[in-house]
Amino acid sequence: MKPAFVFGTRPEIIKLAPVIRAFLDRGVKPLLIHTGQHYDYEMSSVFLEELEMPPIDHHLEVGSGTQAEQTGLAMIKIEKVLRDERPDVVLVQGDTNTVLAGALASVKLKIPVAHVEAGLRSFDRTMPEEINRILADHASEVLFPPTEEARKNLEREGITKNVYVVGNTVVDAVLQNAEVAERKSDVLKRFGLKPKEYVLVTAHRAENTDSRENLERLIEILEGLPIRAVYPMHPRTRGRLEEFGLWERVASIENLTVTKPLGYLDFLKLERNAFAIMTDSGGVQEEAIILNVPCLTLRYNTERPETVAAGGNVLVGLEKERALRYLQRLLEDGEFYRKMAGAANPFGDGKAGERIAEILMGLHERGELMVRG
Ligand code: UD1
Ligand code: UDP
């Protein structure tokens, strides 16, 4: 069997690594196609190295651009590779422009697409990710929603065939790496942080960083933090802060350490030892509940509502008063803290990667892996 993986950003590498490993463990060598949507060392290569991925077979160097430029160029380049390689299936993960490009290029060549982390919906069509998710799901032949809730979203849109609830591969990634991170990373020492005495912050989403007004609201929250904080900053956010002349203001916040994006082992260790996490990241919301760290999400909606229902995540948006009130409550109310930290992980048992490989190999063996007429 010849599976191909199309990926291009930090979270895709992290969440596909367990699936790639599961194929390798079963004696199948997958074809790896990296679009180059993320290209800085600390947004891409560091993860390929830390997660001990095999060499990339095709590096497409698509880079940054407008939505259409990035998606269009990726499609053109992916199509060329798929034409030559003719894999049995193309796996994509999540909701980036790389995912949309991979799914569209593939299905139009009649190569079946398998979508890992299918069925997520924020119901906010102003997010580029929401459009990517919906279109990728509808272009896919095999769908791997992480939860029953995600499966129901697919059902509501009429997608019921070849849908397998397998859990989220992020659990596999965390379980495979958290202990290694704890042993190997010296990140707490490097930043002079003590366990459970700091807040970990990440924010990069377009709706939070593309407007000066929203960036200022984010900064006001950071300025009000009553506890030490560390913020590994996505290059998008750094770029926008500089563009709007707001970088100096962030850099001068006393309680706050801003760093470049960190490798996975350092970041996992920071997450696990944080008092709380404030983020607009999808993957970080998931990892917080897996690692039993309370999460305050800097958004008004989430495509991971399971984390909120379980009690481990609160949507605070960019509302300073709300965000700081919740943080203060976590600091003062031990019972509330334990309740949030103790929320049950809704994303499965860490065997999603193995299930995905098994299911796809089974479909292939039975001759059922195809784009149907
Ligand atoms: C993309 C995804 C988002 C995901 C995020 C993961 C889309 C529409 N968005 O957002 O869903 O959460 O990846 O991190 O696909 N840049 C660099 N170096 C890099 C990569 C990007 O400097 O290695 C800068 C460039 O200025 C670029 C900007 O970041 O224009 C945005 O990058 P892009 O890939 O377009 O989107 P992300 O914000 O990374
Ligand atoms: N991450 C990392 N280093 C960082 C920030 C995040 O390794 O400095 C990891 C994090 O553990 C998670 C993933 O990157 O697995 C999340 O990526 P991101 O927030 O960029 O994207 P999203 O999940 O929002 O699509």
Side-chain angles (χ1 to χ4, degrees), residues 9 11 37-40 43 64 67 70 95-97 128-129 204-205 234-236:
T9 69
Q37 178 171 345
H38 285 174
Y39 42 86
D40 291 345
M43 293 300 287
S64 306
Q67 294 292 316
Q70 194 174 53
D95 53 23
T96 66
N97 288 343
E129 291 88 353
H204 71 280
R205 215 150 279 293
H234 192 289
R236 175 188 204 106

mmCIF file with all atom_site columns, all heavy atoms in Angstrom, residues 9 11 37-40 43 64 67 70 95-97 128-129 204-205 234-236, ligand 1:
data_model
loop_
_atom_site.group_PDB
_atom_site.id
_atom_site.type_symbol
_atom_site.label_atom_id
_atom_site.label_alt_id
_atom_site.label_comp_id
_atom_site.label_asym_id
_atom_site.label_entity_id
_atom_site.label_seq_id
_atom_site.pdbx_PDB_ins_code
_atom_site.Cartn_x
_atom_site.Cartn_y
_atom_site.Cartn_z
_atom_site.occupancy
_atom_site.B_iso_or_equiv
_atom_site.pdbx_formal_charge
_atom_site.auth_seq_id
_atom_site.auth_comp_id
_atom_site.auth_asym_id
_atom_site.auth_atom_id
_atom_site.pdbx_PDB_model_num
ATOM   1   N N   . THR A 1 9   ? 2.142   22.685 8.066  1.00 0.00 ? 9   THR A N   1
ATOM   2   C CA  . THR A 1 9   ? 2.261   23.595 9.208  1.00 0.00 ? 9   THR A CA  1
ATOM   3   C C   . THR A 1 9   ? 2.616   22.822 10.474 1.00 0.00 ? 9   THR A C   1
ATOM   4   O O   . THR A 1 9   ? 2.471   21.595 10.528 1.00 0.00 ? 9   THR A O   1
ATOM   5   C CB  . THR A 1 9   ? 0.937   24.360 9.472  1.00 0.00 ? 9   THR A CB  1
ATOM   6   O OG1 . THR A 1 9   ? -0.035  23.430 9.950  1.00 0.00 ? 9   THR A OG1 1
ATOM   7   C CG2 . THR A 1 9   ? 0.416   25.065 8.230  1.00 0.00 ? 9   THR A CG2 1
ATOM   8   N N   . PRO A 1 11  ? 1.108   22.392 13.493 1.00 0.00 ? 11  PRO A N   1
ATOM   9   C CA  . PRO A 1 11  ? 0.215   21.408 14.118 1.00 0.00 ? 11  PRO A CA  1
ATOM   10  C C   . PRO A 1 11  ? 0.003   20.159 13.264 1.00 0.00 ? 11  PRO A C   1
ATOM   11  O O   . PRO A 1 11  ? -0.236  19.067 13.803 1.00 0.00 ? 11  PRO A O   1
ATOM   12  C CB  . PRO A 1 11  ? -1.102  22.177 14.298 1.00 0.00 ? 11  PRO A CB  1
ATOM   13  C CG  . PRO A 1 11  ? -1.029  23.320 13.353 1.00 0.00 ? 11  PRO A CG  1
ATOM   14  C CD  . PRO A 1 11  ? 0.427   23.661 13.237 1.00 0.00 ? 11  PRO A CD  1
ATOM   15  N N   . GLN A 1 37  ? 4.092   25.533 3.778  1.00 0.00 ? 37  GLN A N   1
ATOM   16  C CA  . GLN A 1 37  ? 3.296   26.674 4.287  1.00 0.00 ? 37  GLN A CA  1
ATOM   17  C C   . GLN A 1 37  ? 4.007   27.296 5.480  1.00 0.00 ? 37  GLN A C   1
ATOM   18  O O   . GLN A 1 37  ? 4.092   28.507 5.599  1.00 0.00 ? 37  GLN A O   1
ATOM   19  C CB  . GLN A 1 37  ? 1.879   26.210 4.666  1.00 0.00 ? 37  GLN A CB  1
ATOM   20  C CG  . GLN A 1 37  ? 1.043   27.343 5.245  1.00 0.00 ? 37  GLN A CG  1
ATOM   21  C CD  . GLN A 1 37  ? -0.429  26.995 5.433  1.00 0.00 ? 37  GLN A CD  1
ATOM   22  O OE1 . GLN A 1 37  ? -0.933  26.022 4.896  1.00 0.00 ? 37  GLN A OE1 1
ATOM   23  N NE2 . GLN A 1 37  ? -1.131  27.820 6.193  1.00 0.00 ? 37  GLN A NE2 1
ATOM   24  N N   . HIS A 1 38  ? 4.503   26.466 6.402  1.00 0.00 ? 38  HIS A N   1
ATOM   25  C CA  . HIS A 1 38  ? 5.421   26.938 7.442  1.00 0.00 ? 38  HIS A CA  1
ATOM   26  C C   . HIS A 1 38  ? 6.832   26.546 7.034  1.00 0.00 ? 38  HIS A C   1
ATOM   27  O O   . HIS A 1 38  ? 7.054   25.431 6.564  1.00 0.00 ? 38  HIS A O   1
ATOM   28  C CB  . HIS A 1 38  ? 5.061   26.343 8.800  1.00 0.00 ? 38  HIS A CB  1
ATOM   29  C CG  . HIS A 1 38  ? 3.839   26.978 9.408  1.00 0.00 ? 38  HIS A CG  1
ATOM   30  N ND1 . HIS A 1 38  ? 3.256   26.537 10.570 1.00 0.00 ? 38  HIS A ND1 1
ATOM   31  C CD2 . HIS A 1 38  ? 3.095   28.045 9.002  1.00 0.00 ? 38  HIS A CD2 1
ATOM   32  C CE1 . HIS A 1 38  ? 2.205   27.304 10.871 1.00 0.00 ? 38  HIS A CE1 1
ATOM   33  N NE2 . HIS A 1 38  ? 2.074   28.214 9.919  1.00 0.00 ? 38  HIS A NE2 1
ATOM   34  N N   . TYR A 1 39  ? 7.766   27.468 7.204  1.00 0.00 ? 39  TYR A N   1
ATOM   35  C CA  . TYR A 1 39  ? 9.114   27.265 6.648  1.00 0.00 ? 39  TYR A CA  1
ATOM   36  C C   . TYR A 1 39  ? 10.226  27.664 7.603  1.00 0.00 ? 39  TYR A C   1
ATOM   37  O O   . TYR A 1 39  ? 11.343  27.216 7.463  1.00 0.00 ? 39  TYR A O   1
ATOM   38  C CB  . TYR A 1 39  ? 9.262   28.065 5.338  1.00 0.00 ? 39  TYR A CB  1
ATOM   39  C CG  . TYR A 1 39  ? 8.649   29.446 5.435  1.00 0.00 ? 39  TYR A CG  1
ATOM   40  C CD1 . TYR A 1 39  ? 9.358   30.520 5.940  1.00 0.00 ? 39  TYR A CD1 1
ATOM   41  C CD2 . TYR A 1 39  ? 7.312   29.654 5.074  1.00 0.00 ? 39  TYR A CD2 1
ATOM   42  C CE1 . TYR A 1 39  ? 8.765   31.776 6.066  1.00 0.00 ? 39  TYR A CE1 1
ATOM   43  C CE2 . TYR A 1 39  ? 6.717   30.897 5.195  1.00 0.00 ? 39  TYR A CE2 1
ATOM   44  C CZ  . TYR A 1 39  ? 7.451   31.951 5.692  1.00 0.00 ? 39  TYR A CZ  1
ATOM   45  O OH  . TYR A 1 39  ? 6.871   33.178 5.829  1.00 0.00 ? 39  TYR A OH  1
ATOM   46  N N   . ASP A 1 40  ? 9.961   28.501 8.621  1.00 0.00 ? 40  ASP A N   1
ATOM   47  C CA  . ASP A 1 40  ? 11.013  28.818 9.592  1.00 0.00 ? 40  ASP A CA  1
ATOM   48  C C   . ASP A 1 40  ? 11.426  27.528 10.299 1.00 0.00 ? 40  ASP A C   1
ATOM   49  O O   . ASP A 1 40  ? 10.576  26.654 10.529 1.00 0.00 ? 40  ASP A O   1
ATOM   50  C CB  . ASP A 1 40  ? 10.506  29.802 10.665 1.00 0.00 ? 40  ASP A CB  1
ATOM   51  C CG  . ASP A 1 40  ? 10.246  31.188 10.097 1.00 0.00 ? 40  ASP A CG  1
ATOM   52  O OD1 . ASP A 1 40  ? 10.707  31.473 8.970  1.00 0.00 ? 40  ASP A OD1 1
ATOM   53  O OD2 . ASP A 1 40  ? 9.562   31.977 10.782 1.00 0.00 ? 40  ASP A OD2 1
ATOM   54  N N   . MET A 1 43  ? 9.212   26.611 13.096 1.00 0.00 ? 43  MET A N   1
ATOM   55  C CA  . MET A 1 43  ? 7.808   26.318 12.776 1.00 0.00 ? 43  MET A CA  1
ATOM   56  C C   . MET A 1 43  ? 7.665   24.976 12.043 1.00 0.00 ? 43  MET A C   1
ATOM   57  O O   . MET A 1 43  ? 6.560   24.505 11.814 1.00 0.00 ? 43  MET A O   1
ATOM   58  C CB  . MET A 1 43  ? 7.215   27.425 11.899 1.00 0.00 ? 43  MET A CB  1
ATOM   59  C CG  . MET A 1 43  ? 7.081   28.772 12.579 1.00 0.00 ? 43  MET A CG  1
ATOM   60  S SD  . MET A 1 43  ? 6.021   28.734 14.043 1.00 0.00 ? 43  MET A SD  1
ATOM   61  C CE  . MET A 1 43  ? 4.403   28.580 13.288 1.00 0.00 ? 43  MET A CE  1
ATOM   62  N N   . SER A 1 64  ? 4.393   31.750 2.194  1.00 0.00 ? 64  SER A N   1
ATOM   63  C CA  . SER A 1 64  ? 3.263   32.587 2.610  1.00 0.00 ? 64  SER A CA  1
ATOM   64  C C   . SER A 1 64  ? 2.625   33.289 1.412  1.00 0.00 ? 64  SER A C   1
ATOM   65  O O   . SER A 1 64  ? 3.211   33.343 0.337  1.00 0.00 ? 64  SER A O   1
ATOM   66  C CB  . SER A 1 64  ? 3.742   33.650 3.599  1.00 0.00 ? 64  SER A CB  1
ATOM   67  O OG  . SER A 1 64  ? 4.421   33.063 4.681  1.00 0.00 ? 64  SER A OG  1
ATOM   68  N N   . GLN A 1 67  ? -4.775  34.158 0.899  1.00 0.00 ? 67  GLN A N   1
ATOM   69  C CA  . GLN A 1 67  ? -5.463  32.859 0.977  1.00 0.00 ? 67  GLN A CA  1
ATOM   70  C C   . GLN A 1 67  ? -5.410  32.142 -0.380 1.00 0.00 ? 67  GLN A C   1
ATOM   71  O O   . GLN A 1 67  ? -5.057  30.965 -0.453 1.00 0.00 ? 67  GLN A O   1
ATOM   72  C CB  . GLN A 1 67  ? -6.927  33.075 1.393  1.00 0.00 ? 67  GLN A CB  1
ATOM   73  C CG  . GLN A 1 67  ? -7.097  33.629 2.800  1.00 0.00 ? 67  GLN A CG  1
ATOM   74  C CD  . GLN A 1 67  ? -6.694  32.647 3.877  1.00 0.00 ? 67  GLN A CD  1
ATOM   75  O OE1 . GLN A 1 67  ? -7.027  31.489 3.819  1.00 0.00 ? 67  GLN A OE1 1
ATOM   76  N NE2 . GLN A 1 67  ? -5.953  33.124 4.858  1.00 0.00 ? 67  GLN A NE2 1
ATOM   77  N N   . GLN A 1 70  ? -1.709  31.191 -1.600 1.00 0.00 ? 70  GLN A N   1
ATOM   78  C CA  . GLN A 1 70  ? -1.133  30.051 -0.882 1.00 0.00 ? 70  GLN A CA  1
ATOM   79  C C   . GLN A 1 70  ? -1.849  28.749 -1.278 1.00 0.00 ? 70  GLN A C   1
ATOM   80  O O   . GLN A 1 70  ? -1.203  27.743 -1.580 1.00 0.00 ? 70  GLN A O   1
ATOM   81  C CB  . GLN A 1 70  ? -1.272  30.308 0.620  1.00 0.00 ? 70  GLN A CB  1
ATOM   82  C CG  . GLN A 1 70  ? -0.442  29.413 1.493  1.00 0.00 ? 70  GLN A CG  1
ATOM   83  C CD  . GLN A 1 70  ? -0.528  29.851 2.949  1.00 0.00 ? 70  GLN A CD  1
ATOM   84  O OE1 . GLN A 1 70  ? -1.621  30.000 3.485  1.00 0.00 ? 70  GLN A OE1 1
ATOM   85  N NE2 . GLN A 1 70  ? 0.609   30.053 3.574  1.00 0.00 ? 70  GLN A NE2 1
ATOM   86  N N   . ASP A 1 95  ? -7.277  21.798 9.283  1.00 0.00 ? 95  ASP A N   1
ATOM   87  C CA  . ASP A 1 95  ? -8.071  22.833 8.613  1.00 0.00 ? 95  ASP A CA  1
ATOM   88  C C   . ASP A 1 95  ? -7.252  23.959 7.998  1.00 0.00 ? 95  ASP A C   1
ATOM   89  O O   . ASP A 1 95  ? -7.741  25.066 7.817  1.00 0.00 ? 95  ASP A O   1
ATOM   90  C CB  . ASP A 1 95  ? -9.054  23.424 9.639  1.00 0.00 ? 95  ASP A CB  1
ATOM   91  C CG  . ASP A 1 95  ? -8.327  23.905 10.900 1.00 0.00 ? 95  ASP A CG  1
ATOM   92  O OD1 . ASP A 1 95  ? -7.120  24.182 10.818 1.00 0.00 ? 95  ASP A OD1 1
ATOM   93  O OD2 . ASP A 1 95  ? -8.976  23.997 11.956 1.00 0.00 ? 95  ASP A OD2 1
ATOM   94  N N   . THR A 1 96  ? -6.005  23.694 7.663  1.00 0.00 ? 96  THR A N   1
ATOM   95  C CA  . THR A 1 96  ? -5.182  24.772 7.096  1.00 0.00 ? 96  THR A CA  1
ATOM   96  C C   . THR A 1 96  ? -5.393  24.871 5.582  1.00 0.00 ? 96  THR A C   1
ATOM   97  O O   . THR A 1 96  ? -6.040  24.019 4.971  1.00 0.00 ? 96  THR A O   1
ATOM   98  C CB  . THR A 1 96  ? -3.694  24.508 7.352  1.00 0.00 ? 96  THR A CB  1
ATOM   99  O OG1 . THR A 1 96  ? -3.329  23.335 6.614  1.00 0.00 ? 96  THR A OG1 1
ATOM   100 C CG2 . THR A 1 96  ? -3.396  24.300 8.830  1.00 0.00 ? 96  THR A CG2 1
ATOM   101 N N   . ASN A 1 97  ? -4.787  25.884 4.985  1.00 0.00 ? 97  ASN A N   1
ATOM   102 C CA  . ASN A 1 97  ? -4.858  26.004 3.527  1.00 0.00 ? 97  ASN A CA  1
ATOM   103 C C   . ASN A 1 97  ? -4.191  24.813 2.846  1.00 0.00 ? 97  ASN A C   1
ATOM   104 O O   . ASN A 1 97  ? -4.611  24.389 1.761  1.00 0.00 ? 97  ASN A O   1
ATOM   105 C CB  . ASN A 1 97  ? -4.196  27.316 3.081  1.00 0.00 ? 97  ASN A CB  1
ATOM   106 C CG  . ASN A 1 97  ? -5.046  28.514 3.459  1.00 0.00 ? 97  ASN A CG  1
ATOM   107 O OD1 . ASN A 1 97  ? -6.241  28.377 3.753  1.00 0.00 ? 97  ASN A OD1 1
ATOM   108 N ND2 . ASN A 1 97  ? -4.458  29.701 3.461  1.00 0.00 ? 97  ASN A ND2 1
ATOM   109 N N   . PRO A 1 128 ? -11.015 31.451 8.067  1.00 0.00 ? 128 PRO A N   1
ATOM   110 C CA  . PRO A 1 128 ? -10.557 30.662 6.907  1.00 0.00 ? 128 PRO A CA  1
ATOM   111 C C   . PRO A 1 128 ? -10.563 29.163 7.212  1.00 0.00 ? 128 PRO A C   1
ATOM   112 O O   . PRO A 1 128 ? -10.870 28.347 6.349  1.00 0.00 ? 128 PRO A O   1
ATOM   113 C CB  . PRO A 1 128 ? -9.122  31.163 6.662  1.00 0.00 ? 128 PRO A CB  1
ATOM   114 C CG  . PRO A 1 128 ? -8.722  31.929 7.890  1.00 0.00 ? 128 PRO A CG  1
ATOM   115 C CD  . PRO A 1 128 ? -9.987  32.411 8.519  1.00 0.00 ? 128 PRO A CD  1
ATOM   116 N N   . GLU A 1 129 ? -10.274 28.824 8.474  1.00 0.00 ? 129 GLU A N   1
ATOM   117 C CA  . GLU A 1 129 ? -10.204 27.408 8.860  1.00 0.00 ? 129 GLU A CA  1
ATOM   118 C C   . GLU A 1 129 ? -11.561 26.717 8.718  1.00 0.00 ? 129 GLU A C   1
ATOM   119 O O   . GLU A 1 129 ? -11.625 25.530 8.381  1.00 0.00 ? 129 GLU A O   1
ATOM   120 C CB  . GLU A 1 129 ? -9.731  27.267 10.310 1.00 0.00 ? 129 GLU A CB  1
ATOM   121 C CG  . GLU A 1 129 ? -8.276  27.639 10.557 1.00 0.00 ? 129 GLU A CG  1
ATOM   122 C CD  . GLU A 1 129 ? -8.074  29.117 10.860 1.00 0.00 ? 129 GLU A CD  1
ATOM   123 O OE1 . GLU A 1 129 ? -9.059  29.892 10.743 1.00 0.00 ? 129 GLU A OE1 1
ATOM   124 O OE2 . GLU A 1 129 ? -6.943  29.507 11.206 1.00 0.00 ? 129 GLU A OE2 1
ATOM   125 N N   . HIS A 1 204 ? -2.336  33.489 17.888 1.00 0.00 ? 204 HIS A N   1
ATOM   126 C CA  . HIS A 1 204 ? -1.866  33.726 16.522 1.00 0.00 ? 204 HIS A CA  1
ATOM   127 C C   . HIS A 1 204 ? -3.003  33.815 15.512 1.00 0.00 ? 204 HIS A C   1
ATOM   128 O O   . HIS A 1 204 ? -2.782  34.129 14.352 1.00 0.00 ? 204 HIS A O   1
ATOM   129 C CB  . HIS A 1 204 ? -0.938  32.584 16.077 1.00 0.00 ? 204 HIS A CB  1
ATOM   130 C CG  . HIS A 1 204 ? -1.685  31.295 15.833 1.00 0.00 ? 204 HIS A CG  1
ATOM   131 N ND1 . HIS A 1 204 ? -2.062  30.448 16.850 1.00 0.00 ? 204 HIS A ND1 1
ATOM   132 C CD2 . HIS A 1 204 ? -2.144  30.727 14.692 1.00 0.00 ? 204 HIS A CD2 1
ATOM   133 C CE1 . HIS A 1 204 ? -2.707  29.409 16.348 1.00 0.00 ? 204 HIS A CE1 1
ATOM   134 N NE2 . HIS A 1 204 ? -2.783  29.556 15.041 1.00 0.00 ? 204 HIS A NE2 1
ATOM   135 N N   . ARG A 1 205 ? -4.221  33.501 15.931 1.00 0.00 ? 205 ARG A N   1
ATOM   136 C CA  . ARG A 1 205 ? -5.304  33.361 14.975 1.00 0.00 ? 205 ARG A CA  1
ATOM   137 C C   . ARG A 1 205 ? -5.580  34.684 14.255 1.00 0.00 ? 205 ARG A C   1
ATOM   138 O O   . ARG A 1 205 ? -5.501  35.754 14.866 1.00 0.00 ? 205 ARG A O   1
ATOM   139 C CB  . ARG A 1 205 ? -6.554  32.867 15.695 1.00 0.00 ? 205 ARG A CB  1
ATOM   140 C CG  . ARG A 1 205 ? -7.388  31.947 14.886 1.00 0.00 ? 205 ARG A CG  1
ATOM   141 C CD  . ARG A 1 205 ? -8.127  30.966 15.721 1.00 0.00 ? 205 ARG A CD  1
ATOM   142 N NE  . ARG A 1 205 ? -7.281  29.850 16.094 1.00 0.00 ? 205 ARG A NE  1
ATOM   143 C CZ  . ARG A 1 205 ? -6.795  28.944 15.248 1.00 0.00 ? 205 ARG A CZ  1
ATOM   144 N NH1 . ARG A 1 205 ? -7.081  28.995 13.958 1.00 0.00 ? 205 ARG A NH1 1
ATOM   145 N NH2 . ARG A 1 205 ? -6.026  27.967 15.666 1.00 0.00 ? 205 ARG A NH2 1
ATOM   146 N N   . HIS A 1 234 ? 4.037   33.253 17.847 1.00 0.00 ? 234 HIS A N   1
ATOM   147 C CA  . HIS A 1 234 ? 3.914   32.844 16.435 1.00 0.00 ? 234 HIS A CA  1
ATOM   148 C C   . HIS A 1 234 ? 4.425   33.992 15.549 1.00 0.00 ? 234 HIS A C   1
ATOM   149 O O   . HIS A 1 234 ? 4.176   35.161 15.846 1.00 0.00 ? 234 HIS A O   1
ATOM   150 C CB  . HIS A 1 234 ? 2.429   32.584 16.167 1.00 0.00 ? 234 HIS A CB  1
ATOM   151 C CG  . HIS A 1 234 ? 2.113   31.898 14.878 1.00 0.00 ? 234 HIS A CG  1
ATOM   152 N ND1 . HIS A 1 234 ? 2.245   32.510 13.661 1.00 0.00 ? 234 HIS A ND1 1
ATOM   153 C CD2 . HIS A 1 234 ? 1.667   30.638 14.615 1.00 0.00 ? 234 HIS A CD2 1
ATOM   154 C CE1 . HIS A 1 234 ? 1.877   31.671 12.704 1.00 0.00 ? 234 HIS A CE1 1
ATOM   155 N NE2 . HIS A 1 234 ? 1.520   30.522 13.263 1.00 0.00 ? 234 HIS A NE2 1
ATOM   156 N N   . PRO A 1 235 ? 5.114   33.663 14.443 1.00 0.00 ? 235 PRO A N   1
ATOM   157 C CA  . PRO A 1 235 ? 5.668   34.741 13.600 1.00 0.00 ? 235 PRO A CA  1
ATOM   158 C C   . PRO A 1 235 ? 4.591   35.675 13.027 1.00 0.00 ? 235 PRO A C   1
ATOM   159 O O   . PRO A 1 235 ? 4.861   36.847 12.764 1.00 0.00 ? 235 PRO A O   1
ATOM   160 C CB  . PRO A 1 235 ? 6.391   33.993 12.474 1.00 0.00 ? 235 PRO A CB  1
ATOM   161 C CG  . PRO A 1 235 ? 5.934   32.577 12.546 1.00 0.00 ? 235 PRO A CG  1
ATOM   162 C CD  . PRO A 1 235 ? 5.498   32.336 13.960 1.00 0.00 ? 235 PRO A CD  1
ATOM   163 N N   . ARG A 1 236 ? 3.390   35.148 12.848 1.00 0.00 ? 236 ARG A N   1
ATOM   164 C CA  . ARG A 1 236 ? 2.308   36.008 12.349 1.00 0.00 ? 236 ARG A CA  1
ATOM   165 C C   . ARG A 1 236 ? 2.051   37.145 13.329 1.00 0.00 ? 236 ARG A C   1
ATOM   166 O O   . ARG A 1 236 ? 1.924   38.314 12.934 1.00 0.00 ? 236 ARG A O   1
ATOM   167 C CB  . ARG A 1 236 ? 1.038   35.177 12.175 1.00 0.00 ? 236 ARG A CB  1
ATOM   168 C CG  . ARG A 1 236 ? -0.154  35.992 11.791 1.00 0.00 ? 236 ARG A CG  1
ATOM   169 C CD  . ARG A 1 236 ? -1.438  35.174 11.825 1.00 0.00 ? 236 ARG A CD  1
ATOM   170 N NE  . ARG A 1 236 ? -2.383  35.807 10.950 1.00 0.00 ? 236 ARG A NE  1
ATOM   171 C CZ  . ARG A 1 236 ? -2.739  35.367 9.756  1.00 0.00 ? 236 ARG A CZ  1
ATOM   172 N NH1 . ARG A 1 236 ? -2.265  34.264 9.282  1.00 0.00 ? 236 ARG A NH1 1
ATOM   173 N NH2 . ARG A 1 236 ? -3.595  36.040 9.023  1.00 0.00 ? 236 ARG A NH2 1
HETATM 174 C C1  . UD1 B 2 .   ? -1.917  28.664 9.726  1.00 0.00 ? 1   UD1 B C1  1
HETATM 175 C C2  . UD1 B 2 .   ? -3.344  28.148 9.628  1.00 0.00 ? 1   UD1 B C2  1
HETATM 176 C C3  . UD1 B 2 .   ? -3.976  28.138 11.007 1.00 0.00 ? 1   UD1 B C3  1
HETATM 177 C C4  . UD1 B 2 .   ? -3.123  27.358 11.992 1.00 0.00 ? 1   UD1 B C4  1
HETATM 178 C C5  . UD1 B 2 .   ? -1.690  27.871 11.971 1.00 0.00 ? 1   UD1 B C5  1
HETATM 179 C C6  . UD1 B 2 .   ? -0.838  26.972 12.814 1.00 0.00 ? 1   UD1 B C6  1
HETATM 180 C C7  . UD1 B 2 .   ? -4.477  28.692 7.503  1.00 0.00 ? 1   UD1 B C7  1
HETATM 181 C C8  . UD1 B 2 .   ? -5.515  29.534 6.873  1.00 0.00 ? 1   UD1 B C8  1
HETATM 182 N N1  . UD1 B 2 .   ? -4.174  29.005 8.771  1.00 0.00 ? 1   UD1 B N1  1
HETATM 183 O O1  . UD1 B 2 .   ? -1.993  30.003 10.198 1.00 0.00 ? 1   UD1 B O1  1
HETATM 184 O O2  . UD1 B 2 .   ? -5.236  27.509 10.944 1.00 0.00 ? 1   UD1 B O2  1
HETATM 185 O O3  . UD1 B 2 .   ? -3.654  27.502 13.272 1.00 0.00 ? 1   UD1 B O3  1
HETATM 186 O O4  . UD1 B 2 .   ? -1.186  27.851 10.628 1.00 0.00 ? 1   UD1 B O4  1
HETATM 187 O O5  . UD1 B 2 .   ? 0.285   27.627 13.314 1.00 0.00 ? 1   UD1 B O5  1
HETATM 188 O O6  . UD1 B 2 .   ? -3.956  27.796 6.898  1.00 0.00 ? 1   UD1 B O6  1
HETATM 189 N N2  . UD1 B 2 .   ? 5.172   33.085 8.863  1.00 0.00 ? 1   UD1 B N2  1
HETATM 190 C C9  . UD1 B 2 .   ? 6.529   33.131 9.094  1.00 0.00 ? 1   UD1 B C9  1
HETATM 191 N N3  . UD1 B 2 .   ? 7.214   31.952 9.103  1.00 0.00 ? 1   UD1 B N3  1
HETATM 192 C C10 . UD1 B 2 .   ? 6.632   30.750 8.884  1.00 0.00 ? 1   UD1 B C10 1
HETATM 193 C C11 . UD1 B 2 .   ? 5.253   30.729 8.632  1.00 0.00 ? 1   UD1 B C11 1
HETATM 194 C C12 . UD1 B 2 .   ? 4.538   31.910 8.633  1.00 0.00 ? 1   UD1 B C12 1
HETATM 195 O O7  . UD1 B 2 .   ? 7.120   34.189 9.285  1.00 0.00 ? 1   UD1 B O7  1
HETATM 196 O O8  . UD1 B 2 .   ? 7.333   29.714 8.921  1.00 0.00 ? 1   UD1 B O8  1
HETATM 197 C C13 . UD1 B 2 .   ? 4.417   34.374 8.889  1.00 0.00 ? 1   UD1 B C13 1
HETATM 198 C C14 . UD1 B 2 .   ? 4.279   35.031 7.524  1.00 0.00 ? 1   UD1 B C14 1
HETATM 199 O O9  . UD1 B 2 .   ? 4.341   36.410 7.725  1.00 0.00 ? 1   UD1 B O9  1
HETATM 200 C C15 . UD1 B 2 .   ? 2.880   34.639 7.109  1.00 0.00 ? 1   UD1 B C15 1
HETATM 201 C C16 . UD1 B 2 .   ? 2.137   34.574 8.441  1.00 0.00 ? 1   UD1 B C16 1
HETATM 202 O O10 . UD1 B 2 .   ? 3.101   34.094 9.366  1.00 0.00 ? 1   UD1 B O10 1
HETATM 203 O O11 . UD1 B 2 .   ? 2.295   35.546 6.225  1.00 0.00 ? 1   UD1 B O11 1
HETATM 204 C C17 . UD1 B 2 .   ? 0.940   33.676 8.430  1.00 0.00 ? 1   UD1 B C17 1
HETATM 205 O O12 . UD1 B 2 .   ? 1.281   32.370 7.994  1.00 0.00 ? 1   UD1 B O12 1
HETATM 206 P P1  . UD1 B 2 .   ? 0.186   31.411 7.331  1.00 0.00 ? 1   UD1 B P1  1
HETATM 207 O O13 . UD1 B 2 .   ? 0.769   30.088 7.045  1.00 0.00 ? 1   UD1 B O13 1
HETATM 208 O O14 . UD1 B 2 .   ? -0.483  32.101 6.208  1.00 0.00 ? 1   UD1 B O14 1
HETATM 209 O O15 . UD1 B 2 .   ? -0.920  31.293 8.439  1.00 0.00 ? 1   UD1 B O15 1
HETATM 210 P P2  . UD1 B 2 .   ? -0.791  31.000 10.000 1.00 0.00 ? 1   UD1 B P2  1
HETATM 211 O O16 . UD1 B 2 .   ? -1.165  32.228 10.740 1.00 0.00 ? 1   UD1 B O16 1
HETATM 212 O O17 . UD1 B 2 .   ? 0.505   30.355 10.287 1.00 0.00 ? 1   UD1 B O17 1
#
